[in-house]
Amino acid sequence: MARPRAPRHVTRVDLVVLSGLQASGKSTFFDARFAASHAHVSQDRFRNARDPAARRRALVAEAAGAGRSAVVDDTNVSRERRAALVALARALGMRPVLYFFPPDVKASLARNAARAGRARVPDVAIFASRKRLEPPDRAEGFAAAFDVRPTPEGGFLVGPRPDLAG
């Protein structure tokens, strides 16, 4: 009896979690790195949802069901929130990947000041997020983790965080 063969081209489906202060460059990074290939899941797109967490889970599950990677583009400042996303990814057969934007309050305030309309958040929100921000921990269970730092030229420096990958 012939042994079943694995498909030659297996596409890996990731759940990418962006974590950082408001105006840290997360959405710009999504646009530059993932917009062409990943579903964009951002609470900014469903501000009026009765249950934002349920809406986020549904959108991630929809992407996974379609065989598409997804990016959760929110502040995700708590370990509990990130760990819940890791659990969701694993339950859906996705590989959880973290892109962490180390806090730079001064730069976030400057980028926020350049925003207009609903994109601009009150400065106090940035300070409050900084106070609540918990640095990522290996116990959260990400398969891969990276630090992302915006450059003055508008690009990004991305470096691996092997201390966080599990």
Side-chain angles (χ1 to χ4, degrees):
M1 190 167 204
R3 185 179 202 180
R5 287 200 210 179
R8 287 185 176 202
H9 302 287
V10 176
T11 303
R12 183 181 71 213
V13 179
D14 291 339
L15 176 59
V16 174
V17 176
L18 304 182
S19 176
L21 303 178
Q22 298 91 332
S24 61
K26 296 179 307 296
S27 295
T28 302
F29 182 71
F30 167 82
D31 289 341
R33 177 69 70 95
F34 299 110
S37 57
H38 291 55
H40 190 208
V41 179
S42 171
Q43 197 162 317
D44 289 345
R45 294 179 161 200
F46 47 91
R47 291 177 195 229
N48 298 325
R50 195 174 324 162
D51 185 350
R55 182 74 177 129
R56 183 173 27 262
R57 286 189 305 271
L59 290 169
V60 170
E62 182 180 306
R68 188 170 185 210
S69 293
V71 175
V72 176
D73 176 9
D74 293 319
T75 57
N76 299 311
V77 295
S78 75
R79 288 183 183 130
E80 180 181 0
R81 169 92 171 254
R82 293 187 303 262
L85 291 167
V86 168
L88 174 63
R90 297 214 186 272
L92 295 170
M94 301 173 90
R95 184 179 80 119
V97 179
L98 174 69
Y99 285 85
F100 181 70
F101 292 69
D104 182 342
V105 172
K106 185 177 177 182
S108 288
L109 290 169
R111 279 190 292 276
N112 188 51
R115 292 175 165 182
R118 292 183 73 176
R120 191 171 198 289
V121 298
D123 288 349
V124 69
I126 294 170
F127 291 112
S129 290
R130 175 60 185 112
K131 189 173 182 176
R132 289 189 333 269
L133 186 130
E134 297 174 298
D137 184 87
R138 182 181 195 89
E140 292 173 41
F142 286 97
F146 303 88
D147 274 348
V148 181
R149 297 177 194 279
T151 65
E153 303 78 34
F156 295 93
L157 294 176
V158 181
R161 294 272 311 247
D163 61 313
L164 294 181

